[in-house]
Amino acid sequence: MSIKLVASDLDGTIIDRNNFIANENFKAIDRLHSKNIDFVVCTGKSYSVSKSICQNFQAKYGIFGNGAQIIDLQTGEELNRKTLKQKQINYCIKLARKNNLHIHFYTEDSIVTENLQYMDLRNYILKDLNSTELKFIIVPDIEKYIEEHQPDIFSFIISSDNNLSDLEKDINKHLTVSTSLISKRGVYKDNIINKEYEYINIAPNNINKNHALSFLSNYLQIPQSEMLAIGDNVNDLEMVKHSGIGIAVGDAYSELKDAAQYVTQKNVTDGAFAEAINKFIV
């Protein structure tokens, strides 16, 4: 099988929980460039968070916010963009308030929150290390901020120390949106902020990494059967299932391992991404 495009998640796939990148991964990306294979960053993070690492990797295209935004990184052209509707945002805020849960959201260049606690705190801690252009806006009242500024919201995050599976079901029952429930417990504990928690990522309908790769497939005229996709988390599931070669890193979530064609022997810290590239890109 001739692979013409490699799509990779960032956190947990190329970058480990302590923000470390194995040198072998940089070499593997250089190998892709030498073979004129398009390298695509495919992340749940926003572009402003990921811009620096995309430049370091010399990625050709970027899929951000799990597919809410697709950018040609060579020209800076935005190829696709989807944002949440005001009614959807209002419902999520009301639900979170009712259950006394933490909320924050992502715009194109900022995180807006009332206080830094979970993923927003993690990103704040990492902002200098990642040389991110992301702005952190801390406000006393998120509803009032949205009413006054009317920002384009790519994703809305609800976080908690407790289980959020019932809340996710409620959201999907009442709204036509895309949701991902991520657990940062046990071996997946967030070591950056030394905390275990769960969060729901709420994005516009039909937003996921696989839909974004399908868009790039049509745009670039590269069949998905000629793409390799690699990840570690449940938000990578669809792109791993539907790509020509779907790979899970060795310390990936079990759901992803079950769906992948290949599971690396190495974990993210030891260079799992490089193992995959060296095995399938000849």
Side-chain angles (χ1 to χ4, degrees):
M1 181 185 298
S2 176
I3 294 298
K4 296 180 180 176
L5 182 150
V6 169
S8 178
D9 173 53
L10 289 180
D11 287 348
T13 302
I14 296 181
I15 306 170
D16 77 3
R17 289 179 293 157
N18 296 311
N19 219 44
F20 171 77
I21 304 172
N23 189 51
E24 291 86 348
N25 290 342
F26 285 104
K27 292 180 180 178
I29 292 170
D30 288 342
R31 188 157 175 253
L32 295 178
H33 295 320
S34 71
K35 292 181 174 291
N36 294 316
I37 295 172
D38 290 342
F39 178 59
V40 178
V41 165
C42 201
T43 177
K45 291 181 174 181
S46 66
Y47 178 43
S48 52
V49 172
S50 313
K51 186 175 182 179
S52 176
I53 194 64
C54 289
Q55 292 172 340
N56 290 339
F57 289 155
Q58 298 180 49
K60 195 164 186 179
Y61 297 93
I63 293 170
F64 304 103
N66 289 318
Q69 190 177 31
I70 304 174
I71 295 177
D72 181 332
L73 297 172
Q74 306 300 300
T75 66
E77 179 186 2
E78 186 178 62
L79 304 178
N80 198 28
R81 176 190 185 96
K82 290 187 177 181
T83 57
L84 286 164
K85 298 176 181 178
Q86 187 63 55
K87 289 183 178 180
Q88 296 169 334
I89 297 164
N90 290 342
Y91 185 85
C92 291
I93 292 175
K94 182 178 179 180
L95 193 62
R97 297 297 195 204
K98 178 181 177 181
N99 291 278
N100 195 30
L101 301 174
H102 180 73
I103 56 176
H104 71 275
F105 64 80
Y106 292 85
T107 70
E108 186 168 4
D109 62 357
S110 63
I111 287 178
V112 179
T113 183
E114 293 174 343
N115 54 82
L116 298 165
Q117 287 192 49
Y118 296 94
M119 285 298 291
D120 45 349
L121 176 58
R122 174 191 174 88
N123 283 315
Y124 182 79
I125 292 171
L126 293 174
K127 67 182 177 67
D128 293 332
L129 185 61
N130 291 336
S131 300
T132 178
E133 297 180 6
L134 187 69
K135 295 182 293 186
F136 290 81
I137 301 174
I138 301 175
V139 300
D141 188 321
I142 275 184
E143 292 99 319
K144 186 175 181 180
Y145 178 87
I146 293 172
E147 181 182 350
E148 292 178 351
H149 297 273
Q150 298 184 0
D152 283 345
I153 297 177
F154 287 97
S155 63
F156 189 91
I157 313 298
I158 300 177
S159 308
S160 175
D161 296 339
N162 301 317
N163 184 283
L164 293 175
S165 58
D166 288 341
L167 197 79
E168 184 188 30
K169 291 175 183 176
D170 185 299
I171 292 169
N172 287 319
K173 180 180 178 181
H174 292 91
L175 300 178
T176 305
V177 293
S178 296
T179 63
S180 298
L181 175 58
I182 308 297
S183 173
K184 306 291 287 184
R185 303 186 190 281
V187 296
Y188 308 113
K189 178 183 176 180
D190 191 332
N191 290 330
I192 299 297
I193 64 172
N194 191 32
K195 189 174 182 65
E196 293 187 335
Y197 57 93
E198 292 186 2
Y199 69 93
I200 305 172
N201 183 90
I202 302 144
N205 189 40
N206 290 328
I207 289 297
N208 64 48
K209 294 182 180 183
N210 183 60
H211 282 131
L213 281 184
S214 179
F215 176 93
L216 280 182
S217 175
N218 293 327
Y219 181 78
L220 299 172
Q221 294 298 294
I222 298 175
Q224 282 191 260
S225 60
E226 296 178 0
M227 295 182 180
L228 181 153
I230 179 169
D232 77 300
N233 213 323
V234 292
N235 61 338
D236 303 314
L237 185 62
E238 293 302 315
M239 75 167 184
V240 165
K241 285 171 62 176
H242 294 286
S243 294
I245 300 175
I247 300 173
V249 298
D251 43 354
Y253 281 61
S254 58
E255 298 97 320
L256 192 69
K257 288 183 179 181
D258 292 342
Q261 297 174 35
Y262 178 75
V263 178
T264 64
Q265 296 181 16
K266 294 182 178 180
N267 62 28
V268 56
T269 303
D270 298 328
F273 173 83
E275 177 190 331
I277 298 305
N278 294 332
K279 180 176 178 62
F280 289 102
I281 307 298
V282 295

